[in-house]
Amino acid sequence: MNTTREKEHWVGTWATTPAPTEGAVIKGQTIRIIASVSIGGNKIRVRLSNANGKHKLTIGAATVAFSGSVSEIIRGSDQQLTFNGKPTTEIAVGAIALSDPIAFKLPPLTDAAVSVYLPDDIGEDFKITGHGTSRQTNYISPKGNHSTEIDMPVKEETETNFFVTGIDAVCSRVENHVQLTQRLASSIGELADRTIAGLPLPQRRRVEESVHRDAPHTRQLLASVPRRAHVGGTRPNTQTPMVRPQV
């Protein structure tokens, strides 16, 4: 007989390559990393990495929340992350840190925001671990701990993921896989409806035919749409629409 414990397991719902990042300097600032998760769950943990660092990495504070508009988080959704029960931690050279699991109702296909306060000055010689071409806008605050602020002040925008390399969720194998499949099917249909109107007729017909036949192929076709094409005055969105959770 299956028990709840047997049905639940940790799943990587978002991850990025822990590669060395060149040229970045962080001076006692807060980073806010936006992560578009896949599978949802009721419990999560966050992975921070100093895999490529030449010095220890001090985490002064960290939170997770639902992402709102631009650098904002949704009010009331933020939760503090802890490490072995403490709000701060140090990550040794070449090491990673997993936050303590927290109860966090995470729907599939949601934008989460992980905010990390880095109290030390991190220079170019540090060898920051991250991913430099995430194609997702992330945010760096002015100096100070802004990890709990709803509308975090922004000194700089970046497409680099600094130090935050993964989010894991505890989920039910059956329920969440069914939910994700249903949402993906719905999202692909909505995505095609919004995008194909701006395509040349031959390409539009290819997309329409493939929507019902081959979802991965559809996404390849949509990714090939020129970004300068416009539909109703807006640039086509080639990313799956995200769920905006109600808090």
Side-chain angles (χ1 to χ4, degrees):
M1 183 174 69
N2 288 336
T3 65
T4 301
R5 181 179 296 274
E6 290 172 339
K7 290 182 180 179
E8 293 184 341
H9 64 300
W10 285 105
V11 174
T13 185
W14 175 86
T16 188
T17 305
T21 301
E22 303 292 340
V25 174
I26 300 173
K27 295 187 175 182
Q29 296 162 281
T30 301
I31 57 173
R32 180 161 286 175
I33 306 300
I34 310 302
S36 299
V37 306
S38 55
I39 293 174
N42 294 318
K43 186 184 295 183
I44 66 170
R45 64 189 183 189
V46 175
R47 187 182 313 110
L48 305 177
S49 177
N50 193 25
N52 300 288
K54 291 190 173 181
H55 308 280
K56 69 177 176 64
L57 176 65
T58 300
I59 306 299
T63 63
V64 63
F66 293 124
S67 177
S69 175
V70 195
S71 66
E72 294 180 5
I73 57 175
I74 295 179
R75 187 178 299 276
S77 70
D78 60 304
Q79 291 195 44
Q80 183 183 55
L81 297 175
T82 59
F83 305 86
N84 293 321
K86 299 179 180 180
T88 66
T89 191
E90 290 185 351
I91 307 177
V93 172
I96 65 170
L98 274 176
S99 69
D100 300 327
I102 60 171
F104 192 92
K105 192 174 180 61
L106 183 70
L109 303 179
T110 303
D111 278 352
V114 180
S115 304
V116 182
Y117 170 49
L118 304 166
D120 296 340
D121 287 352
I122 298 174
E124 292 187 22
D125 65 336
F126 188 95
K127 294 295 183 184
I128 291 175
T129 299
H131 190 79
T133 54
S134 66
R135 298 187 180 180
Q136 167 64 59
T137 302
N138 301 307
Y139 306 94
I140 305 174
S141 76
K143 192 167 185 176
N145 181 6
H146 302 277
S147 60
T148 61
E149 294 192 30
I150 302 300
D151 187 4
M152 188 184 81
V154 176
K155 182 177 181 180
E156 181 182 350
E157 295 183 355
T158 177
E159 289 194 355
T160 299
N161 289 332
F162 296 112
F163 301 118
V164 181
T165 58
I167 299 176
D168 302 331
V170 167
C171 67
S172 164
R173 297 183 184 183
V174 175
E175 291 178 2
N176 276 278
H177 288 184
V178 170
Q179 291 172 3
L180 181 61
T181 301
Q182 291 173 340
R183 288 180 183 270
L184 282 174
S186 174
S187 296
I188 288 171
E190 294 172 5
L191 178 61
D193 289 342
R194 286 204 314 274
T195 306
I196 61 176
L199 299 178
L201 183 59
Q203 192 173 6
R204 187 190 315 169
R205 286 176 175 168
R206 287 175 58 205
V207 172
E208 289 172 339
E209 291 171 359
S210 66
V211 163
H212 304 288
R213 184 187 66 244
D214 188 350
H217 181 54
T218 301
R219 297 189 62 81
Q220 291 177 4
L221 285 173
L222 295 176
S224 70
V225 175
R227 296 181 71 85
R228 64 178 179 274
H230 288 260
V231 179
T234 60
R235 187 175 66 189
N237 179 5
T238 57
Q239 295 180 344
T240 302
M242 292 294 113
V243 176
R244 293 298 181 191
Q246 300 297 318
V247 178

